[in-house]
Amino acid sequence: MEKITSLAKRRGFVYQSSEIYGGQNGAWDYGPLGVELKNRIAGAWWKEMTRLHDNIVGLDAAILMHPRTWEASGHVENFTDPLVDCKKCKSRFRADQIPQENLAAKKCPDCGGELTDTRKFNLMFKTHIGPAEDTASIIYLRPETAQGIYVNYKNIIQSNRMKIPFGIAQIGKAFRNEIVTKNFIFRTCEFEQMEMQYFVKPGTDEEWFTEWRKQRWAYYEKLGIKMDHLRWHQHGPDELAHYAKDAYDIEYLFPMGWRELEGVHNRTDYDLGRHTQFSGKDLQYIDQDNNNERYIPYIIETSAGLTRNLLMVLCDAYDEEQVAEKGNDDDWRTVLRFHPDLAPVTVAILPLMKKDGLAELAQDIRKELKEDYATDYDQAGAIGRRYRRQDEAGTPFCVTVDYQSKEDGTVTLRFRDSMEQVRVPKAELSARIRSEIKTYKRIK
Ligand code: GAP
């Protein structure tokens, strides 16, 4: 993880928030390569969950919601972690994450000092709206994007004539006052989620739950993620969230071990039932194709962390290998083997020399490719070093412009993973890259 954190900073994927002030715990900033990678991951998810499904539509709901939302959802009452403090070293722990013998003996696992009693700590960030800081103006930063979907479910049925089963997808920020934020961007106080809520008829929920588990697994396979680094974990009765009848996590083998990447939850009619109760509005679905049968739909939720997916994609892509590209056996390279659909830069254009018109020719080629691909241009330093820089950024294709290019209009296309190089007429470059992306198979 240290290597990944350091690469992420060095190459502009992720920086510590407010670093010049000593950093802000639980918050991170996404640099030029990071924001591109994050947008690509979000784009791949959005395509998968909306464009490829005729019955799933999108939504972008506000972060600030009516405070009654969070009473109805159960978050005010239940969204808590058990917290203990060490009276001596002042360390703070989640009581469920320290050895039970320490908890029973009230002994700090770090310094052996005395621990406080366990108390419940609500993870929602509370703030005030309006000028007066009284309780009437309390408002929360949303701890999950899901509730914005539930409170809009009737609007969407009416505006888009949706029929059950159907889904609503959303990507957006969520906030949790996490007690322990470590392992880089794995668990943070400000993060992004990619959630899809699928509304189904009660009684068909288990079938759809199985179907969505299958689809979410296939999604990671399609993105070329190492499938032996993924596994399922079913929640036991003591792990289930207050709204869930059944839940499975997709876990990824991060450098610190197996950890949750995404959850698939059967939320039953809990949320819409509670919003009916708290808002006084009728949130039943009326099945016009079935004698106007009325019911509160069950909800199957797929909930993935976008920023956590970014960490997974970085870990999964990271590789170091000994290469002999320039006949030097001791040469090592760090390479990010991103799927080309996710890579922040798809193609880098590199003139062999700055002089003799090669730079101008390379700029012309970049101008043409820009319309179709995210490009980079680098004319500084030896060509081998420039390839290494692109490998580290995860750029799947490099185009090198040399003296032969001036004579016969061909360029060198270099592949990141195999380091193989082929000569391609520049007029065919764009189509060749498109076909390479379409047929991409991870080799390592
Ligand atoms: N709407 C259901 C829900 O929010 P969750 O299991 O609490 O369920 C879903 O969160 C996903 O959101 C997790 O699998 C994880 O990827 C991401 N996530 C949750 N808390 C996070 C945090 N503090 N930092 C980063 N990602 C987080």
Side-chain angles (χ1 to χ4, degrees):
M1 189 62 95
E2 249 170 54
K3 282 183 175 176
I4 288 166
T5 313
S6 126
L7 171 74
K9 180 174 180 197
R10 193 171 70 247
R11 296 311 313 265
F13 283 96
V14 184
Y15 313 118
Q16 201 181 11
S17 163
S18 327
E19 193 181 1
I20 61 167
Y21 290 104
Q24 174 55 51
N25 216 3
W28 298 86
D29 298 338
Y30 292 83
L33 288 181
V35 67
E36 292 291 345
L37 179 60
K38 187 150 69 67
N39 287 344
R40 298 265 193 286
I41 296 171
W45 184 90
W46 193 255
K47 176 181 171 190
E48 176 73 22
M49 302 303 274
T50 65
R51 260 172 54 195
L52 299 185
H53 291 273
D54 299 339
N55 64 345
I56 303 184
V57 291
L59 176 76
D60 185 8
I63 288 170
L64 300 178
M65 298 182 71
H66 194 289
R68 291 276 284 167
T69 308
W70 305 109
E71 289 171 36
S73 69
H75 283 79
V76 170
E77 193 186 338
N78 298 313
F79 199 53
T80 55
D81 274 347
L83 175 73
V84 287
D85 287 305
C86 173
K87 291 181 182 170
K88 190 170 159 204
C89 70
K90 308 291 176 211
S91 291
R92 181 160 283 176
F93 306 96
R94 264 177 62 173
D96 55 346
Q97 287 182 352
I98 59 172
Q100 282 313 293
E101 53 274 23
N102 285 72
L103 199 61
K106 287 188 147 188
K107 192 171 164 194
C108 174
D110 282 358
C111 74
E114 191 190 345
L115 292 177
T116 60
D117 287 336
T118 305
R119 61 189 191 280
K120 278 188 175 179
F121 169 78
N122 195 295
L123 270 71
M124 281 197 295
F125 280 104
K126 222 188 248 181
T127 184
H128 296 90
I129 194 156
E133 286 202 9
D134 56 22
T135 46
S137 62
I138 276 181
I139 198 155
Y140 300 97
L141 299 186
R142 68 180 178 199
E144 61 170 9
T145 59
Q147 299 300 327
I149 293 181
Y150 305 147
V151 301
N152 276 296
Y153 128 96
K154 273 259 150 143
N155 282 338
I156 288 179
I157 287 182
Q158 278 151 16
S159 61
N160 292 59
R161 290 179 293 138
M162 305 305 287
K163 290 191 170 174
I164 273 179
F166 74 93
I168 305 175
Q170 174 167 225
I171 299 177
K173 291 232 171 185
F175 302 84
R176 296 183 188 176
N177 200 353
E178 299 282 1
I179 300 165
V180 180
T181 54
K182 55 179 185 187
N183 293 320
F184 193 28
I185 56 171
F186 177 80
R187 187 182 305 287
T188 52
C189 293
E190 176 177 345
F191 57 100
E192 284 177 70
Q193 289 187 314
M194 309 184 284
E195 297 199 305
M196 193 282 298
Q197 315 294 326
Y198 204 70
F199 298 82
V200 305
K201 187 171 180 178
T204 64
D205 52 306
E206 288 181 14
E207 204 179 298
W208 281 113
F209 184 60
T210 308
E211 173 59 24
W212 276 108
R213 283 179 50 210
K214 222 190 291 168
Q215 293 213 21
R216 293 308 301 153
W217 187 262
Y219 168 76
Y220 289 109
E221 199 161 20
K222 199 155 110 182
L223 284 184
I225 303 304
K226 292 176 187 152
M227 295 312 281
D228 59 349
H229 279 49
L230 289 176
R231 72 176 186 192
W232 285 106
H233 165 73
Q234 184 177 19
H235 284 209
D238 53 338
E239 289 172 282
L240 281 174
H242 58 274
Y243 49 70
K245 165 178 160 188
D246 201 358
Y248 279 81
D249 290 338
I250 296 180
E251 293 185 336
Y252 182 80
L253 185 55
F254 287 96
M256 66 280 188
W258 289 99
R259 294 284 191 286
E260 175 185 346
L261 175 67
E262 156 161 6
V264 183
H265 312 131
N266 182 345
R267 294 181 73 133
T268 69
D269 55 1
Y270 174 85
D271 298 277
L272 291 181
R274 295 272 293 189
H275 284 305
T276 301
Q277 196 187 326
F278 279 69
S279 69
K281 299 283 186 308
D282 182 2
L283 297 180
Q284 289 181 102
Y285 174 74
I286 304 168
D287 188 350
Q288 289 168 344
D289 299 333
N290 215 352
N291 297 326
N292 288 335
E293 188 189 352
R294 286 165 177 263
Y295 56 82
I296 300 227
Y298 268 43
I299 292 168
I300 306 302
E301 169 183 67
T302 71
S303 176
L306 168 54
T307 40
R308 195 172 288 182
N309 253 259
L310 189 145
L311 178 62
M312 179 278 285
V313 166
L314 271 179
C315 295
D316 200 70
Y318 187 91
D319 194 17
E320 287 172 7
E321 71 174 355
Q322 196 168 18
V323 290
E325 196 174 28
K326 287 160 53 212
N328 175 3
D329 288 341
D330 290 336
D331 210 4
W332 280 82
R333 70 168 183 160
T334 299
V335 54
L336 291 177
R337 299 182 189 278
F338 295 134
H339 190 288
D341 284 341
L342 299 185
V345 175
T346 312
V347 47
I349 297 95
L350 320 171
L352 193 63
M353 300 282 176
K354 285 181 236 172
K355 54 184 187 181
D356 301 328
L358 294 187
E360 289 77 6
L361 185 54
Q363 287 287 11
D364 286 347
I365 292 173
R366 182 185 196 191
K367 210 164 150 198
E368 275 171 35
L369 291 176
K370 247 183 198 176
E371 286 290 339
D372 299 326
Y373 306 104
T375 61
D376 190 13
Y377 176 86
D378 186 2
Q379 60 176 28
I383 191 73
R385 217 169 292 136
R386 281 184 268 164
Y387 285 148
R388 292 289 174 277
R389 280 204 288 268
Q390 295 299 332
D391 289 343
E392 247 192 4
T395 307
F397 309 105
C398 285
V399 169
T400 310
V401 178
D402 57 16
Y403 288 102
Q404 191 183 333
S405 312
K406 277 178 63 177
E407 281 162 24
D408 65 6
T410 64
V411 292
T412 300
L413 180 62
R414 183 235 188 213
F415 301 94
R416 174 199 66 202
D417 291 355
S418 61
M419 295 186 302
E420 194 193 321
Q421 302 187 4
V422 292
R423 221 58 219 178
V424 179
K426 70 179 167 55
E428 290 170 21
L429 250 184
S430 185
R432 175 69 187 266
I433 292 169
R434 189 168 307 114
S435 119
E436 292 291 341
I437 294 175
K438 248 201 143 80
T439 54
Y440 177 79
K441 283 253 164 348
R442 186 169 174 160
I443 55 171
K444 207 173 157 201

